Amino acid sequence: MYLIASLGVIQSHALGVESGARHLARAIAMAPDTASADARAAAILRTTADEYGIDASGMDVGFACFPAGGECPRAGATMVVSVAARVPLPLVPPVLGLDRIASVPVSATAVHKVSRFWRAE
């Protein structure tokens, strides 16, 4: 029973970070400017964390653009978004930091072409 419960929690978090990365990449790449991209990213991360039960403060988000050099995102670049989190295993007590040790890392990466109409303001 414990194995089934643990795998269910891990799968849920894995789907959450994959969904978050995919939606972040698309929303930011299609945003008209930096302010819109920031607002969209914050809303997506908050919604993803709530929907999949992920600790929002523990989510790590990274961005990179190709070709390298210059700002990220920028018009016409290919943007890579990665989201990572740790899954705490069920029924592990926080005594002596056991809950941090008994956790499984999950991560996902999504790629999206930035709109050619992107403008950083």
Side-chain angles (χ1 to χ4, degrees), residues 33-55:
D33 55 33
T34 306
S36 296
D38 289 343
R40 290 177 184 186
I44 288 169
L45 285 174
R46 184 176 54 252
T47 302
T48 300
D50 290 344
E51 187 173 326
Y52 291 94
I54 300 171
D55 178 19

Side-chain angles (χ1 to χ4, degrees), residues 56-62 82-85:
S57 64
M59 292 177 73
D60 294 323
V61 179
S82 38
V83 178

Side-chain angles (χ1 to χ4, degrees), residues 27 30 69 96 113 117:
M30 301 307 289
L96 301 174
K113 183 85 167 169
F117 300 112

